[in-house]
Amino acid sequence: MSHSILLPRTMEIGRDACQKLPLILESLGIKKPLIITDDMMVKLGYVDDIQAVLREAQINADVFSDTVPEPTESSIGAGVSLVKAQNYDGLIALGGGSPIDSAKAISILGRFGGVMRDYKFPRQVNETGLPIVAIPTTAGTGSEVTRFTIITDDDNNEKLLCVGMGFMPIAAIIDYSLTLSVPPRTTADTGIDAMTHAIEAYISPKRNAYSDQQALAALRLIGPNIQTAYHNGKDETAREAMMLGSTLAGIAFCNSSVALVHGMSRPIGAFFHVPHGLSNAMLLPTITEFGISSAPVRYADCARALGIADHSETDDQANVSLVNYLKNLNDELHVPTLAQFGVQKADFDALIDTMCEQAFASGSPNNNPRIPSLEEMTQLYTMLWDDSSTDHS
């Protein structure tokens, strides 16, 4: 059986890779790009830096900086209007997963119109929108190398998963120096997001020999470096490993899939505005424990790749170590519980049925080695709350 592998056409990887942006634009024939970013990138001076690099090559780039964390249909509306009104021939997506996801949606809606729900999975969006050069500034989402975007429908608080070649950036610039100023909380959340991508890609039934290798390589980079990057953000060796690990994990799940953690995580983000990586981190230990019995060898491979079990240990021993590691990692990285994040128990309970419905509708839970029943998913959501009695702060 063969597998289709999808990647950006070109990737520039390493410190100061952003300096190559003009050459990349030239190679792609992009002369009038629009930078899609957020307010924080403007404040940190990253947008000025990118514009300075472009100006040296006589390229002027306008900026759309109104993207928001966990992008919504309304947050990208002005960007879509801008693309429709001007003759841009490419987009530069600068920032974390949210600006990159926003750029993907703007690329398609700006060229083909409609609303985001028109492009919702299971539709495969293979139309060619405006070409995107993605420049991630966090080591986490892997969005720079995936054919996915997630945009929230404002009307009913549903995170719409959109899939297809049309959302794959044409180029990615992986410059870890852009992550040196990322604060500890974001470092933790995006780092666990990347770890989740690699684990879920490896245990998914959609996996293949190629995605397996990317996933294990990602875990070998992330495991020994996530705590260091969290505690000392200026450690360049750790930052470089996390950045490359994040990209490899993105390649892994783009060419395999995500699974139950992501399926259950998206509704938590949509209803309670928990950042995506953080809701993944809240779920990962519980969901891993739930699934291990259905794929013990695979989860044990993950434990060994992370460096928390060795080959002399049995799979069962490795898997005990894996669950303990994930719980302890959340403690060390101060992953808050839902209660500490500010979610009210009554609100959470009232929405569990809707969250289960949305999680199943996304398709991701069906990629888990152990697919939960509705009752089991309800219980897993409830356990997530019950775990809130433990103080992780």
Side-chain angles (χ1 to χ4, degrees):
M1 184 179 173
S2 68
H3 297 272
S4 298
I5 304 300
L6 202 59
L7 294 163
R9 186 189 297 180
T10 182
M11 287 188 270
E12 190 72 33
I13 300 175
R15 188 179 175 96
D16 301 324
C18 287
Q19 301 298 320
K20 299 284 180 65
L21 178 58
L23 287 174
I24 290 170
L25 294 177
E26 186 185 357
S27 73
L28 299 169
I30 297 172
K31 294 181 170 63
K32 189 183 176 184
L34 172 67
I35 298 172
I36 307 280
T37 188
D38 60 29
D39 198 37
M40 185 54 70
M41 293 297 106
V42 176
K43 283 180 181 152
L44 288 171
Y46 287 173
V47 173
D48 284 346
D49 292 346
I50 292 292
Q51 285 184 307
V53 169
L54 293 174
R55 268 196 302 273
E56 276 184 35
Q58 279 77 53
I59 299 169
N60 288 313
D62 293 339
V63 178
F64 173 73
S65 62
D66 292 342
T67 68
V68 298
E70 316 295 317
T72 65
E73 184 106 35
S74 58
S75 75
I76 61 171
V80 173
S81 300
L82 195 58
V83 163
K84 285 179 174 173
Q86 304 281 340
N87 56 340
Y88 300 112
D89 56 2
L91 303 177
I92 297 167
L94 175 71
S98 297
I100 298 175
D101 274 6
S102 298
K104 291 177 177 185
I106 290 167
S107 160
I108 293 294
L109 291 178
R111 180 164 278 182
F112 299 104
V115 294
M116 217 58 224
R117 189 167 285 280
D118 298 336
Y119 301 94
K120 181 187 172 185
F121 182 79
R123 176 175 173 182
Q124 288 292 316
V125 182
N126 294 328
E127 294 94 331
T128 305
L130 282 177
I132 298 167
V133 178
I135 309 176
T137 58
T138 61
T141 69
S143 189
E144 71 277 6
V145 289
T146 73
R147 58 193 165 92
F148 309 109
T149 188
I150 295 172
I151 306 293
T152 300
D153 180 335
D154 305 85
D155 294 337
N156 57 3
N157 264 342
E158 183 185 355
K159 283 198 169 191
L160 304 175
L161 172 64
C162 303
V163 180
M165 271 190 280
F167 297 118
M168 173 63 79
I170 196 165
I173 295 178
I174 317 298
D175 184 344
Y176 73 86
S177 67
L178 298 176
T179 67
L180 294 173
S181 63
V182 174
R185 175 76 272 132
T186 308
T187 298
D189 298 347
T190 53
I192 296 177
D193 189 21
M195 183 187 294
T196 306
H197 291 152
I199 292 172
E200 293 205 308
Y202 192 75
I203 53 96
S204 167
K206 293 184 176 176
R207 64 185 181 260
N208 54 72
Y210 180 88
S211 64
D212 278 356
Q213 295 311 309
Q214 310 300 313
L216 292 174
L219 292 173
R220 289 187 195 108
L221 289 163
I222 294 165
N225 290 291
I226 186 167
Q227 285 110 318
T228 307
Y230 172 79
H231 292 298
N232 176 17
K234 299 299 178 198
D235 187 310
E236 293 207 17
T237 303
R239 288 294 198 186
E240 183 172 22
M242 290 301 295
M243 194 71 166
L244 185 55
S246 167
T247 297
L248 291 173
I251 291 170
F253 88 83
C254 178
N255 293 290
S256 170
S257 77
V258 288
L260 183 56
V261 174
H262 276 74
M264 290 180 64
S265 171
R266 289 185 204 108
I268 294 173
F271 285 110
F272 302 108
H273 307 293
V274 179
H276 171 69
L278 183 55
S279 53
N280 279 353
M282 292 171 173
L283 285 159
L284 185 59
T286 304
I287 303 302
T288 300
E289 200 163 16
F290 172 78
I292 276 176
S293 60
S294 298
V297 177
R298 288 256 143 189
Y299 279 107
D301 286 345
C302 291
R304 294 183 187 107
L306 284 163
I308 52 175
D310 61 44
H311 291 277
S312 64
E313 295 174 69
T314 65
D315 289 346
D316 286 346
Q317 288 170 320
N319 286 328
V320 169
S321 297
L322 178 60
V323 173
N324 288 337
Y325 163 78
L326 294 175
K327 289 176 178 173
N328 292 335
L329 185 66
N330 277 7
D331 285 343
E332 184 177 338
L333 272 48
H334 297 293
V335 171
T337 60
L338 279 168
Q340 288 161 351
F341 189 80
V343 177
Q344 300 301 309
K345 176 91 165 75
D347 297 339
F348 187 77
D349 288 347
L351 282 163
I352 282 184
D353 289 349
T354 308
M355 290 196 294
C356 288
E357 195 181 303
Q358 289 189 3
F360 279 119
S362 74
S364 300
N366 293 330
N367 300 327
N368 217 54
R370 180 180 172 190
I371 300 170
S373 64
L374 179 59
E375 291 73 22
E376 284 172 328
M377 187 181 285
T378 303
Q379 193 179 2
L380 288 167
Y381 270 129
T382 308
M383 281 170 67
L384 182 69
W385 190 273
D386 290 344
D387 281 352
S388 301
S389 57
T390 314
D391 184 14
H392 291 295
S393 63

